[in-house]
Amino acid sequence: IFLGEMAEGQSVDEFPLGQHAQICGLSSKPELNDQYCVSKGINPDNAERLLVVTSSGAQLSLKPTNLRVTELLPGSQVVVVGLTSASGSKLNGKSGEVLSWHGDRWIVDMNDTEPKERKSFKPENVVIVPERVTKKRKAEEPPPEEKKMKTSDLRDIESSDETVVARCLLRLLREFEIVAQKCICVLATKTSMTVMNELAAHLTDKQADGLLRRQLRPGEKVKGIEELDAQEQAVLLCEKKVRSLANSVRINYCDLYGFLKFGFKEPKFNRKKPVV
């Protein structure tokens, strides 16, 4: 199940702009109960109510007691709503699967575009699709971290130009969560920084040797930095150190080059044992 649901709201403050929710307890329009929506904030005409948008794009004014806080997580299916620009409005009503959170936006793999596209949306511009909340990813489609890099990316990480390698790493950090996690393991062997070392202690299973043993699960908290989004911090820290990482790729420090080349797997853990 990709969602965490909490008790009904008691205050409008529990539903800021972009907070996802589920409608509940409506007696006047019971057909709306259990539908998902996203908050547009306090109703300017009635400070005791909230404006919310449903998956159909309909806007409602509801009391907080008729909303249940819902957490949107990677793997959920969503529909796009409320985009007003000329290009963005064409995506309204289109559906997709949430891939990850980056900066202040959700990264979504669109279902209804040809060719397939990956887009980013503010929280207030996506609504959970009820019938697809618990829909599992198709068996034949590997999760993002198991997808392979493009041939052009493989070529770039083998470049002798450190700038080319750095630019490629930036792309990979943002596309593949596991790359940022591996890079944190590598960086922590040479850098003393509280957040980075707490992340690395988790990811290397306290081995501090630059090898990724324990991947982050979606939304997982890391001991010592529980108040922070662990995956987001990993990406931000790696982006700041991308030049150092580019050099680590070139010299294959902590098997970083091998990790990228061999499908985001640690070469040390995947070497075949000799037959006795």
Side-chain angles (χ1 to χ4, degrees), residues 48-139:
E48 296 181 354
R49 287 176 174 261
L50 294 143
L51 292 178
V52 300
V53 176
T54 66
S55 58
S56 67
Q59 183 167 280
L60 307 171
S61 179
L62 299 176
K63 296 177 181 178
T65 52
N66 290 125
L67 294 170
R68 182 183 300 121
V69 173
T70 302
E71 185 180 5
L72 176 59
L73 295 174
S76 300
Q77 290 281 328
V78 294
V79 65
V80 181
V81 298
L83 295 178
T84 56
S85 68
S87 57
S89 61
K90 297 177 182 179
L91 293 173
N92 288 332
K94 303 289 187 182
S95 65
E97 182 175 345
V98 174
L99 176 64
S100 62
W101 174 259
H102 184 70
D104 62 348
R105 291 172 175 262
W106 286 107
I107 308 302
V108 178
D109 281 339
M110 302 304 296
N111 297 330
D112 306 322
T113 56
E114 192 60 44
K116 294 292 185 181
E117 292 183 295
R118 180 168 291 171
K119 299 286 187 180
S120 65
F121 301 101
K122 292 180 179 179
E124 63 267 28
N125 291 125
V126 292
V127 175
I128 298 158
V129 183
E131 63 271 21
R132 298 179 183 174
V133 167
T134 58
K135 183 177 180 180
K136 295 182 179 179
R137 191 186 301 269
K138 294 179 181 178

